[in-house]
Amino acid sequence: MSETKNTFTLDGQPVVFEAGQTIMNAALAAGHYIPHLCHHREFKPHGSCKVCTVRVNGWLSASCTTPASAGAKVESEAPDIQEARRRIVQMLFIEGNHFCPFCVKSGNCQLQAVAYHLGMEDTSLPHRFPSRAMDASHPDVVLDRDRCINCSLCVRASRDADGKDLFGLSGRGIDTHLVVNSSTGLLKDTNIDANDRAIQVCPTGALLVKRRGYEQPIGERRFDAQAIECEFESKY
Amino acid sequence: MASPLGQSVTLHDIAARHLHARHRLLQMLREVQASRSYVPEEAIQFFAHVLNLPIAHVRGCVEFYSFLHTTPRGQFDVYFSDSVTDRMAGSEIVAKRLADRLGVTLGQPRADGRVTVSMTSCTGHCEQAPAGLANGRVFTRMTEARIEKMASLIEHGVPVSEWPAEWFHVDDGIRERGITLETFIPPGEAIRTALARGLPATLDEVERSGLQGRGGAGFPVGRKWRGAYETKGAHYITCNADEGEPGTFKDRVLLAKYADELFEGMTIAGLLVGAKKGYVYMRGEYEYMMEGLQTVLEERRAAGLLGENICESGLDFDLRIHLGAGAYVCGEQSALLESLEGKRGIPRVRPPSAVKIGLFGQSTINNNVESFVQAAQIAWKGAEWFSDHGETKSRGTKLLSIAGDCQRPGIYELPLGITVREVLARCGGENAKAVQVGGPAGTCVGRDEFDRRVSYADLATGGSIMVFNDLRDMVDVARQFAHFFAHESCGFCTPCRVGTQMLKHYADKIADGQGTQRDLEQVKSIGEFVKGYSHCGLGETAPNTLLDTIKRFPEEYTSRLLAEADFVPDFDLDASVTESRALTGRQDQLDQVHSD
Ligand SMILES: Cc1cc2nc3c(=O)[nH]c(=O)nc-3n(C[C@H](O)[C@H](O)[C@H](O)COP(=O)(O)O)c2cc1C
Ligand code: SF4
Ligand code: SF4
Ligand code: FES
Ligand code: FES
């Protein structure tokens, strides 16, 4: 097969892809970072956060669900797209309750890291200050819905990697929320384990292992050491 | 507890009647809601158990649909349409009157378990407004006098089935008939004609007619059918009878009076692609038509027009009707398919299209009610019968449902390409200052644009036409639409889930006279963003009316903006400390913070 047959351009740079690959996965595999929150290469794409939106031959679409196609012109870091991504992240911040200075995930949080990456300086929109139920019923794991961005990564990881199917999204519209798959709706009545993938893939501080926090001093946390784009660009 | 309907029906009965089929979960939950006035926790656990579904799945479904509730609504559950044109006809007034008489707060069940009164999105009876639902039954033309009577019937516990029949009378609303409303197909004749001509030749006929999807988007029906025809494997036919776009009520008439034509169209599509099964997905508000439709289905089965070996063709096809449960997004084709599978109505990722991977993962033809009716008529009468009407790029006639400030609201079948001015002349809406074509998701045009055409090439509509005269406040209209979308967003994607809330926030702020130029700029920029970045057509169109009215009626906005100096912050410190003040009992003047 010739080079152009399985190549698209990402902001002008050629990216080689395999048949069936999405733009996101092809870009990541080639060491190019496209901001994302609900995507994780191990799991089936969901396409809901829209942070990964790119322009493909003039049309905006989520790169994590759009198949790569030969010769496509993909724009990712155009000013209007970066601006929109910033707005999406702002929306995720004002939708929940994120008190970063007190959060154990601070410095290791992808929402925060993507916000830094995009140069988000304020939230600009009116905060909603929702009142959401916290689930601290389990001895080892806590679910703080205040910090949940409805990305569904835990839903997919629990189902597809842990084989437990412990989570689901419920409600509609702004009332969308994570529910726990047990008769009481509480974590204590599940067989969740502190080592479950579901907890590890949570991009924010919504799903946490208890009694583990502030383990690295400020300055040595995951995204202190390396900005999120550098982490992704060096990983592949 | 006393319940409005069949209180003796057990969860076992419900599951058994639906053959323990998981995809019928929503149908089962609807029956639980109807018989118990809510879906108790016990029912969630029961269905999860017997259908072998995750509890989170069942719970997710219950919490998604507006007509399903996790707490009791009481013996009487009354909804009033709060669509703009219903409000113009006084729906808020009658709703409030009923709530006052019964001593309830809108949306909150009365403590004695007697009644809940609430508002709901457009119920599709706009030309007979104010309309609503009482224990699922549609009432029309509600008046304050009737409300007094209703309050007393509710207080006395008189079942809805014994309420005055005239409250539930629904007119067909037809004002002007064209080729479609004048064509009644003798049952089976279109199928026989199609079989005699040959099914592939009938597909050619539908393609040649130029028929475009009547649900609003206008995708060529023939092209969609051909796509499915050329796709290997099993097929399904689905009919979109969700009719959720506020101001649309034309499918209501087709379902009530042209069911044979509809089923005939679906059957021809089914025979063509070799589908064995089809589903009509009808909005829950239209449940009162269920009995009539089931009768037609039975008659057709008895006549050999459904079931096995249809018209001696050797081909089998049958139909079922499923009901929605209060979710506008379920009119979006892929959300509709999810809902038919018994799930939350979340739009799917595209590609693939439904023609490739649709219902239960199979190739699916999904069309609007009117599309199937007209396709059946084309199969019977031939392509020219249809394509002789309309204009080059928009063939045929279209059913328009017109409501609002006009003398003769109702259903008009008119050739596509007709101007807005002509439409207004027919319905007696000459005094209009604005016309909303295509519902809140469509386009709002002002007087200087009344020569524009209703067609797929210009102003597309699934049927909804709303007329507004000089007395109407367009900022308020746009605000109400903003509320509609915020309420109906499925919540899947960030831009629409949060963006529609932001648009609602700023629309309220401006409409309430608290907005500044900066807030207006926010509406424009958030609006463009939500249109561009949302996952489905709901978000892509949600900002339309705000953006249209800002452009066309700028003075209505600017006249109520505050000067920049009078900036009102989004964050109301006073309001946010109210709770702590109440808790601490502090009412001293010193802690009162004012923005000035
Ligand atoms: C939010 C939303 C709601 C919709 N509601 C309806 C509806 O109630 N009825 C309908 O026929 N189409 C509706 N549509 C359009 C459908 O997605 C789809 O285009 C249509 O059912 C296809 O049938 P047609 O080609 O015959 O029009 C809606 C689309 C969106 C985005
Ligand atoms: S989850 Fe992330 S964004 Fe939210 S409070 Fe914690 S660190 Fe901040
Ligand atoms: S808990 Fe975490 S992983 Fe799960 S949906 Fe919320 S943010 Fe995503
Ligand atoms: S990462 Fe693609 S939509 Fe969330
Ligand atoms: S929430 Fe439904 S389209 Fe975004």
Side-chain angles (χ1 to χ4, degrees):
Chain A
M1 230 191 276
S2 81
E3 268 286 288
T4 48
K5 259 200 175 151
N6 56 355
T7 303
F8 64 88
T9 61
L10 180 68
D11 291 328
Q13 299 189 49
V15 175
V16 179
F17 66 94
E18 290 162 24
Q21 227 174 4
T22 58
I23 292 175
M24 170 69 79
N25 282 342
L28 289 178
H32 299 287
Y33 175 67
I34 301 176
H36 57 273
L37 282 168
C38 72
H39 179 72
H40 190 293
R41 81 203 129 84
E42 284 170 36
F43 302 105
K44 204 174 150 236
H46 195 235
S48 63
C49 75
K50 305 295 178 196
V51 172
C52 71
T53 303
V54 292
R55 194 158 29 233
V56 187
N57 298 327
W59 293 96
L60 291 170
S61 78
S63 60
C64 69
T65 54
T66 309
S69 57
K73 180 175 174 246
V74 180
E75 290 167 77
S76 175
E77 299 200 350
D80 62 320
I81 295 176
Q82 293 289 63
E83 166 77 41
R85 289 172 177 165
R86 213 157 25 240
R87 179 160 255 153
I88 292 171
V89 176
Q90 287 172 328
M91 286 184 164
L92 291 171
F93 271 96
I94 63 102
E95 183 188 21
N97 296 307
H98 295 272
F99 304 107
C100 298
F102 317 105
C103 175
V104 273
K105 195 79 176 219
S106 244
N108 300 315
C109 169
Q110 289 180 47
L111 179 62
Q112 206 183 42
V114 171
Y116 278 123
H117 169 76
L118 294 169
M120 184 187 115
E121 285 170 350
D122 61 14
T123 48
S124 121
L125 299 163
H127 281 254
R128 292 185 50 81
F129 301 115
S131 157
R132 295 178 176 173
M134 141 107 88
D135 182 348
S137 64
H138 192 276
D140 299 324
V141 181
V142 60
L143 166 62
D144 181 359
R145 292 186 178 84
D146 276 347
R147 290 174 267 185
C148 173
I149 57 170
N150 298 319
C151 72
S152 103
L153 269 170
C154 60
V155 179
R156 288 171 277 162
S158 181
R159 186 189 58 211
D160 303 337
D162 302 329
K164 295 184 181 175
D165 208 356
L166 297 184
F167 299 101
L169 287 176
S170 185
R172 186 172 88 198
I174 200 68
D175 298 324
T176 301
H177 58 276
L178 191 70
V179 288
V180 174
N181 196 19
S182 69
S183 56
T184 54
L186 292 172
L187 279 175
K188 72 175 171 58
D189 297 307
T190 67
N191 58 346
I192 197 164
D193 183 272
N195 296 312
D196 278 0
R197 277 305 271 149
I199 304 168
Q200 295 159 5
V201 297
C202 178
T204 72
L207 264 177
L208 293 167
V209 175
K210 284 186 179 173
R211 295 176 300 280
R212 221 191 270 165
Y214 311 109
E215 284 176 337
Q216 306 105 326
I218 292 178
E220 290 171 26
R221 300 168 306 180
R222 181 173 165 193
F223 297 114
D224 295 336
Q226 209 177 21
I228 192 164
E229 65 276 21
C230 306
E231 181 179 289
F232 272 97
E233 281 161 10
S234 59
K235 205 150 80 183
Y236 292 88
Chain B
M1 201 199 80
S3 68
L5 304 155
Q7 42 209 308
S8 56
V9 59
T10 67
L11 299 175
H12 274 286
D13 294 341
I14 293 174
R17 189 166 50 247
H18 290 287
L19 312 172
H20 294 93
R22 288 178 191 175
H23 73 276
R24 294 213 209 157
L25 174 65
L26 179 57
Q27 308 307 302
M28 301 180 203
L29 295 172
R30 281 188 52 92
E31 289 177 24
V32 176
Q33 172 71 40
S35 55
R36 287 149 175 83
S37 98
Y38 74 121
V39 182
E41 188 58 34
E42 137 204 21
I44 294 178
Q45 315 263 348
F46 173 83
F47 289 119
H49 178 69
V50 300
L51 305 179
N52 195 17
L53 285 167
I55 291 174
H57 175 107
V58 183
R59 197 185 303 288
C61 207
V62 175
E63 292 179 346
F64 185 84
Y65 295 95
S66 290
F67 291 153
L68 302 179
H69 301 274
T70 51
T71 51
R73 304 285 283 178
Q75 192 184 351
F76 296 94
D77 196 3
V78 185
Y79 291 93
F80 289 87
S81 282
D82 71 354
S83 180
V84 169
T85 51
D86 279 272
R87 287 193 191 204
M88 281 156 56
S91 68
E92 281 170 303
I93 298 165
V94 286
K96 199 167 172 313
R97 172 69 67 96
L98 183 65
D100 287 350
R101 283 292 174 276
L102 296 167
V104 290
T105 310
L106 282 180
Q108 283 173 26
R110 202 164 82 175
D112 65 354
R114 175 73 71 177
V115 61
T116 305
V117 180
S118 38
M119 305 303 286
T120 186
S121 298
C122 176
T123 54
H125 295 76
C126 324
E127 89 291 22
Q128 303 168 51
L133 298 160
N135 286 353
R137 268 189 83 186
V138 165
F139 57 75
T140 57
R141 300 195 174 84
M142 201 34 69
T143 60
E144 291 189 61
R146 285 178 176 186
I147 287 295
E148 298 295 334
K149 182 92 194 286
M150 190 190 283
S152 128
L153 291 169
I154 289 172
E155 290 295 8
H156 289 93
V158 179
V160 173
S161 56
E162 291 168 28
W163 291 9
E166 66 268 23
W167 296 2
F168 303 100
H169 178 77
V170 177
D171 284 331
D172 68 16
I174 296 175
R175 295 276 184 178
E176 241 181 90
R177 287 171 196 271
I179 50 170
T180 285
L181 293 178
E182 269 165 6
T183 303
F184 289 93
I185 305 172
E189 279 315 301
I191 298 174
R192 288 190 194 95
T193 309
L195 288 169
R197 184 193 290 117
L199 291 166
T202 299
L203 172 57
D204 294 343
E205 208 65 20
V206 174
E207 261 185 336
R208 265 197 326 117
S209 74
L211 173 62
Q212 286 156 284
R214 268 24 188 174
F219 190 84
V221 174
R223 198 189 304 165
K224 184 180 282 185
W225 290 21
R226 186 166 301 282
Y229 180 65
E230 288 170 355
T231 304
K232 292 202 176 55
H235 291 81
Y236 286 98
I237 309 297
T238 60
C239 170
N240 192 338
D242 198 51
E243 192 149 74
E245 189 67 44
T248 318
F249 50 90
K250 49 97 191 171
D251 292 338
R252 185 192 83 208
V253 181
L254 296 175
L255 291 159
K257 299 274 166 71
Y258 296 78
D260 267 305
E261 285 71 14
L262 164 63
F263 298 150
E264 200 108 341
M266 293 182 74
T267 307
I268 292 169
L271 300 181
L272 170 74
V273 299
K276 299 272 169 282
K277 191 128 202 198
Y279 291 90
V280 177
Y281 185 91
M282 184 163 77
R283 65 184 318 203
E285 290 85 340
Y286 290 174
E287 188 182 10
Y288 69 95
M289 288 193 266
M290 194 68 163
E291 225 181 283
L293 290 166
Q294 297 289 12
T295 308
V296 178
L297 287 179
E298 279 310 321
E299 287 166 1
R300 295 182 69 84
R301 283 187 195 113
L305 303 174
L306 278 178
E308 288 172 9
N309 191 18
I310 290 170
C311 299
E312 317 292 315
S313 63
L315 300 167
D316 311 338
F317 183 74
D318 213 334
L319 281 169
R320 277 192 66 81
I321 303 168
H322 273 215
L323 287 167
Y328 164 67
V329 72
C330 289
E332 194 279 340
Q333 142 164 323
S334 63
L336 179 146
L337 299 176
E338 288 286 297
S339 186
L340 270 177
E341 291 181 7
K343 303 177 189 159
R344 299 164 77 226
I346 304 286
R348 294 176 180 174
V349 171
R350 276 193 292 181
S353 69
V355 164
K356 293 272 172 258
I357 299 184
L359 190 62
F360 306 124
Q362 307 297 338
S363 169
T364 301
I365 290 180
N366 170 65
N367 278 121
N368 173 257
V369 176
E370 188 181 351
S371 305
F372 279 121
V373 168
Q374 293 189 320
Q377 294 171 332
I378 290 162
W380 189 41
K381 295 238 170 192
E384 283 74 22
W385 166 85
F386 185 79
S387 61
D388 284 349
H389 303 266
E391 58 173 29
T392 327
K393 286 196 174 146
S394 297
R395 295 284 181 194
T397 57
K398 174 91 193 73
L399 267 57
L400 302 179
S401 49
I402 308 180
D405 295 316
C406 60
Q407 283 154 28
R408 296 175 295 279
I411 291 163
Y412 292 76
E413 185 185 351
L414 299 170
L416 283 170
I418 192 166
T419 62
V420 173
R421 193 178 307 287
E422 179 93 5
V423 171
L424 290 172
R426 307 256 177 140
C427 70
E430 292 89 344
N431 291 330
K433 81 163 168 187
V435 178
Q436 184 77 28
V437 184
T443 315
C444 183
V445 294
R447 265 184 195 124
D448 53 343
E449 294 168 291
F450 286 175
D451 287 321
R452 289 181 63 180
R453 291 167 191 281
V454 178
S455 76
Y456 297 107
D458 188 3
L459 299 168
T461 175
S464 177
I465 305 261
M466 298 177 182
V467 185
F468 302 107
N469 69 18
D470 278 312
L471 301 174
R472 304 296 170 189
D473 171 358
M474 296 314 290
V475 179
D476 195 51
V477 168
R479 175 237 289 260
Q480 289 180 44
F481 289 170
H483 279 243
F484 167 75
F485 287 112
H487 179 253
E488 298 294 346
S489 165
C490 74
F492 174 75
C493 73
T494 319
C496 171
R497 184 181 67 240
V498 187
T500 53
Q501 293 290 330
M502 294 296 108
L503 291 173
K504 170 176 145 178
H505 168 84
Y506 287 111
D508 279 343
K509 197 174 173 193
I510 294 169
D512 291 343
Q514 303 292 306
T516 60
Q517 187 61 36
R518 187 180 169 277
D519 294 316
L520 194 61
E521 296 308 320
Q522 277 282 58
V523 171
K524 288 195 234 171
S525 97
I526 295 172
E528 292 301 339
F529 159 78
V530 172
K531 275 169 79 88
Y533 286 78
S534 287
H535 176 68
C536 82
L538 190 152
E540 285 165 10
T541 56
N544 282 2
T545 307
L546 277 167
L547 299 176
D548 282 351
T549 51
I550 289 173
K551 209 182 290 162
R552 282 148 172 123
F553 303 96
E555 63 298 337
E556 294 196 26
Y557 282 87
T558 45
S559 65
R560 67 175 85 191
L561 293 182
L562 295 173
E564 212 59 46
D566 305 321
F567 169 73
V568 178
D570 284 321
F571 179 70
D572 184 346
L573 195 50
D574 247 343
S576 60
V577 296
T578 315
E579 192 181 342
S580 53
R581 267 190 206 133
L583 287 173
T584 55
R586 278 178 64 179
Q587 278 306 334
D588 46 316
Q589 286 305 304
L590 279 176
D591 80 332
Q592 308 273 328
V593 193
H594 292 288
S595 35
D596 52 4

